[in-house]
Amino acid sequence: MKNQSDKGLLFRSEDIKIVMQEDSYAEKFFRSNMIESKSSFNLLFLLSPNIHLEAHDCGSKFIFKKNQYILHFSSEESMAELWTENQEILRYLQIQIHYNYILKLINPEESKENADILENMIRNNYIFLHKQTPPYMTVEMHMILREIVSSSKKGVMQKLFVEAKIIKLLILMFEQFDEKNTVQEIPKIPSMIKKFVDENYHKNIKVEEIGKLIGINQNKIRKEFKAQYHVTVSDYIADLRMLKAKKLIINKEIMIKEIAIECGYEYVQNFTRAFKKKFGVSPEKLRTE
């Protein structure tokens, strides 16, 4: 057994601590101690399958599936033990946020809605989305975690970056619970992918990368998306980009190259080719008409 107090530490400030647990000794039966500080909120993202968690202070036991997460409030310092089955690598990311930081962020005195959110957080009502099922991370949550883990920022820039990402994670989590789609434990793959594409089509995204992020086979993503929306994911991304390009092309102050980048194309030639295929005319010619 190992104490993981500072192993995998990614960030620490007065109010926030982020630890990435990633055991590299898969051949050993590995257990990890996770510490929750007094008066802290803990966002725990489970990144490997069949993670067992046992909270010693209250005797609670859970088994998490890959890509589930919980938000847990700890009034006193406590410890939980985590381990995996069948010698699986133990991977999870813990974001610990001090109560006073959340209090300033939400400010329950500002409105009843704010007070209700804080109350739900303190009562740990955000642990489960439906019945006794912890919620699953969305594609965007995966993206944010990857940005946090891979960030090379330092000093005040790192602090601002981390705080912005945590606020975004909380917003996504609250939105997920507000939707209360309790009919299903996991959102439908097509609608989940569509929401992600609608928000990120201007970036250089590919189906393969989306599949890796959420742990779903890319062929399954393609098949279910087309069955639901009668268009391929790639064509849907291209259509959104072209609609945006057509709106921007009328502004002659914006260079064609800038429009290409704004619409998610790394190379102008690829943008011009796609534009001409869609509208039957090159962007330059359409601009002069």
Side-chain angles (χ1 to χ4, degrees):
M1 187 184 297
K2 301 179 183 179
N3 191 311
Q4 299 302 113
S5 56
D6 275 344
K7 183 180 178 181
L9 183 68
L10 298 179
F11 175 81
R12 188 204 293 272
S13 67
E14 185 180 351
D15 298 308
I16 297 167
K17 179 181 177 182
I18 303 177
V19 175
M20 178 66 183
Q21 166 61 51
E22 188 166 16
D23 172 42
S24 58
Y25 301 98
E27 71 278 5
K28 297 180 181 179
F29 185 63
F30 188 87
R31 289 174 180 252
S32 167
N33 289 337
M34 182 187 74
I35 308 297
E36 292 187 331
S37 298
K38 182 178 179 180
S39 300
S40 67
F41 292 95
N42 290 269
L43 264 170
L44 186 64
F45 298 93
L46 293 310
L47 305 174
S48 53
N50 301 319
I51 294 182
H52 294 253
L53 184 150
E54 182 174 356
H56 295 293
D57 58 331
C58 60
S60 298
K61 295 181 180 180
F62 303 98
I63 300 179
F64 296 101
K65 296 179 181 178
K66 186 177 181 180
N67 295 329
Q68 289 183 321
Y69 75 93
I70 60 170
L71 173 65
H72 181 255
F73 175 69
S74 182
S75 58
E76 300 292 335
E77 181 174 303
S78 61
M79 184 181 74
E81 190 177 5
L82 297 92
W83 68 94
T84 55
E85 297 178 348
N86 304 321
Q87 298 182 341
E88 287 277 358
I89 291 176
L90 177 61
R91 293 184 71 240
Y92 64 84
L93 187 133
Q94 177 194 11
I95 300 177
Q96 187 168 271
I97 313 165
H98 195 275
Y99 172 82
N100 288 336
Y101 182 86
I102 295 292
L103 185 66
K104 292 176 185 176
L105 191 66
I106 294 178
N107 189 5
E109 296 182 1
E110 194 173 272
S111 69
K112 184 180 183 302
E113 181 185 7
N114 289 18
D116 288 344
I117 288 174
L118 185 61
E119 180 70 13
N120 280 324
M121 291 175 72
I122 293 172
R123 291 182 177 275
N124 292 322
N125 291 340
Y126 290 112
I127 287 182
F128 300 111
L129 179 62
H130 174 50
K131 297 181 181 177
Q132 293 299 303
T133 304
Y136 282 82
M137 298 164 59
T138 65
V139 179
E140 198 164 1
M141 287 177 184
H142 276 281
M143 294 280 286
I144 292 171
L145 293 193
R146 188 170 70 172
E147 288 174 340
I148 291 174
V149 172
S150 62
S151 173
S152 59
K153 291 178 173 59
K154 302 293 181 185
V156 67
M157 291 301 293
Q158 183 186 26
K159 183 176 184 292
L160 293 172
F161 174 82
V162 164
E163 290 182 358
K165 295 302 176 184
I166 288 175
I167 290 170
K168 183 60 177 176
L169 282 172
L170 290 172
I171 290 171
L172 292 171
M173 187 192 71
F174 296 147
E175 287 177 348
Q176 191 176 20
F177 278 86
D178 284 342
E179 289 171 4
K180 288 289 181 182
N181 186 10
T182 57
V183 177
Q184 299 167 325
E185 294 180 358
I186 311 175
K188 282 185 179 179
I189 293 172
S191 59
M192 184 168 59
I193 299 303
K194 183 178 182 297
K195 183 177 185 295
F196 176 76
V197 171
D198 288 344
E199 295 172 352
N200 296 278
Y201 68 89
H202 57 288
K203 300 177 183 177
N204 187 19
I205 56 173
K206 297 177 182 178
V207 182
E208 295 84 352
E209 293 172 351
I210 297 172
K212 288 178 182 178
L213 279 172
I214 60 176
I216 297 174
N217 183 281
Q218 58 182 284
N219 292 328
K220 185 175 183 180
I221 290 176
R222 288 191 174 98
K223 182 179 179 182
E224 296 196 17
F225 190 91
K226 188 171 184 180
Q228 179 73 27
Y229 299 110
H230 310 291
V231 64
T232 66
V233 181
S234 299
D235 285 346
Y236 183 66
I237 293 172
D239 286 345
L240 289 178
R241 288 173 172 175
M242 288 299 104
L243 288 173
K244 182 173 184 177
K246 196 172 183 180
K247 290 179 181 177
L248 293 175
I249 208 75
I250 60 174
N251 187 346
K252 295 183 179 181
E253 294 182 2
I254 306 176
M255 295 173 61
I256 301 295
K257 183 179 180 180
E258 292 175 327
I259 295 175
I261 294 171
E262 184 70 20
C263 294
Y265 289 91
E266 189 175 357
Y267 301 105
V268 180
Q269 300 94 318
N270 293 344
F271 168 71
T272 301
R273 193 181 302 115
F275 193 95
K276 193 170 183 179
K277 182 180 178 182
K278 178 70 176 178
F279 301 112
V281 61
S282 69
E284 293 84 356
K285 190 171 182 180
L286 183 62
R287 174 169 275 185
T288 56
E289 287 182 353

